[in-house]
Amino acid sequence: MRAVVVAQPGGPEVLALAEVPDPVPTAREVRIRVVAAGLNGADLSQRRGFYPPPAGAPEWPGLEVSGIIDALGSEVAGWTVGDRVCALLSGGGYAELVTVDAGLVLPVPDDVDLVEAAGLPEVAATVWSNVVDLGRLAEGEALLVHGGSSGIGTMAIQVGRALGAEVVATAGSDEKAAFCRELGAHAAVNYREQDFVEAVRAFTDGRGVDVVLDIVGGAYIARDLDALATGGRILSIAVRDREPASVDMGLLMRKRASIQGTTLRARPLEERVAVIAGVRAQLWPLLSDGRIRPVIDSVFPLEDAAAAHRRMESSAHRGKILLRVGDVGGR
């Protein structure tokens, strides 16, 4: 099969198509003939040499795919060959075939485009496990989403809105802020022009937000705490600001707040399976009834993976960037 491999750490130009062996499913795995794969920030870090795949995962990037099941392990139940699915992976999604534990697979509803479904597993799992599970976002509370026009951000805005929360998003331009409002954010802040802490206080009449989904880290953590309501929760899921975070512990205690850092890829299999089960039970009904949807920026052919990475690094995108790998019937 064809796969996009990383010849050596570096820029997008190091991505190259290569022939690699077809994967064979183990007893508890399914094999998926890939129709599309989603791009994620972790793919860029892996390409640069900073985020190696975990033991046992393929060496090439790709944390989520959509496609058609074409083989089943001997112990797999609940899935059949020919099912339309999407799946959360530990790696290897930039390829024509993937194998994955059956517990990490999700059905694609009939009215959801199979290509666009490749943009769902990673963002749905990340948002559910953080905003809903750990963050315990409830109806009537307020959610602050950093990077609201990103793949994660677009899902978090929709989920927050569907749960009955007030949603504030940050974005890097007036156009992206407007895009966030169109998607459902009650308020959106161009962080290059406006202090998001002041904007949050104005929007919440000084109360602050109950949950923050942070993809920046560093100096943002202290500002998140300033924007937080009493009893609020900060979920830190990525680090773009490499400076160490500095937190006023007195303020943290006075607000009876919490800060939790999480990752998804590095979790044990049983934890990731539990996350996907929660996504299927709690978020998938929102997908089926149209209250959430995949937000797709662009789709590139598999052989143009380097261009897709450049698009993502430009930060010009709104929503998910996908790689088109194959058709329902194959290449």
Side-chain angles (χ1 to χ4, degrees):
M1 69 172 183
R2 298 183 306 162
V4 174
V5 300
V6 180
Q8 62 186 24
E13 69 279 358
V14 304
L15 298 173
L17 271 179
E19 292 288 333
V20 300
D22 290 357
V24 177
T26 62
R28 298 184 180 181
E29 290 182 331
V30 304
R31 188 170 71 179
I32 300 170
R33 184 165 295 279
V34 177
V35 170
L39 266 67
N40 290 278
D43 302 343
L44 276 60
S45 295
Q46 180 173 334
R47 189 204 72 218
R48 296 169 184 143
F50 300 135
Y51 195 24
E59 295 180 359
W60 45 94
L63 298 181
E64 57 187 344
V65 297
S66 63
I68 305 295
I69 292 179
D70 83 339
L72 303 172
S74 59
E75 298 178 14
V76 172
W79 298 106
T80 61
V81 171
D83 284 346
R84 290 165 28 105
V85 297
C86 57
L88 182 70
L89 310 175
S90 296
Y94 293 12
E96 292 178 316
L97 294 167
V98 300
T99 54
V100 59
D101 187 274
L104 299 176
V105 179
L106 290 158
V108 175
D110 291 340
D111 58 351
V112 174
D113 182 85
L114 189 55
V115 172
E116 294 185 349
L120 287 169
E122 180 75 16
V123 295
T126 297
V127 170
W128 180 83
S129 62
N130 285 281
V131 174
V132 181
D133 187 18
L134 298 175
R136 307 181 309 281
L137 182 68
E139 183 177 0
E141 290 192 323
L143 167 68
L144 173 61
V145 178
H146 289 305
S149 62
S150 68
I152 293 289
T154 55
M155 177 59 69
I157 289 170
Q158 294 180 85
V159 170
R161 186 72 184 242
L163 293 177
E166 299 286 315
V167 181
V168 183
T170 67
S173 69
D174 290 342
E175 292 76 16
K176 286 186 174 182
F179 173 74
C180 293
R181 288 190 291 270
E182 291 169 4
L183 195 58
H186 297 84
V189 182
N190 177 355
Y191 63 80
R192 301 182 192 277
E193 303 290 339
Q194 186 178 7
D195 184 340
F196 73 80
V197 177
E198 293 180 358
V200 163
R201 288 174 177 163
F203 178 73
T204 61
D205 294 326
R207 178 181 174 275
V209 294
D210 301 280
V211 177
V212 179
L213 187 63
D214 187 282
I215 62 169
V216 182
Y220 259 50
I221 300 298
R223 298 173 67 198
D224 292 340
L225 182 57
D226 285 341
L228 208 62
T230 299
R233 292 82 72 192
I234 298 170
L235 290 310
S236 178
I237 63 170
V239 178
R240 297 183 181 180
D241 181 352
R242 293 291 174 177
E243 291 298 317
S246 179
V247 175
D248 182 340
M249 292 303 296
L251 180 59
L252 184 73
M253 290 186 288
R254 289 193 298 275
K255 288 194 172 185
R256 302 188 298 281
S258 65
I259 303 172
Q260 184 158 356
T262 70
T263 61
L264 186 58
R265 185 187 196 184
R267 295 190 191 190
L269 174 61
E270 59 271 20
E271 291 187 16
R272 285 179 283 130
V273 168
V275 168
I276 291 299
V279 167
R280 186 169 183 175
Q282 297 194 41
L283 291 196
W284 238 231
L286 304 178
L287 178 66
S288 297
D289 68 15
R291 283 186 286 170
I292 64 171
R293 59 182 175 84
V295 178
I296 307 304
D297 173 83
S298 49
V299 181
F300 292 79
L302 183 65
E303 54 268 25
D304 288 344
H309 274 227
R310 291 188 186 98
R311 172 71 177 170
M312 192 167 191
E313 288 181 332
S314 75
S315 295
H317 61 290
R318 300 176 185 180
K320 295 287 293 189
I321 300 170
L322 306 179
L323 295 177
R324 180 63 184 260
V325 180
D327 298 321
V328 173
R331 291 189 190 182

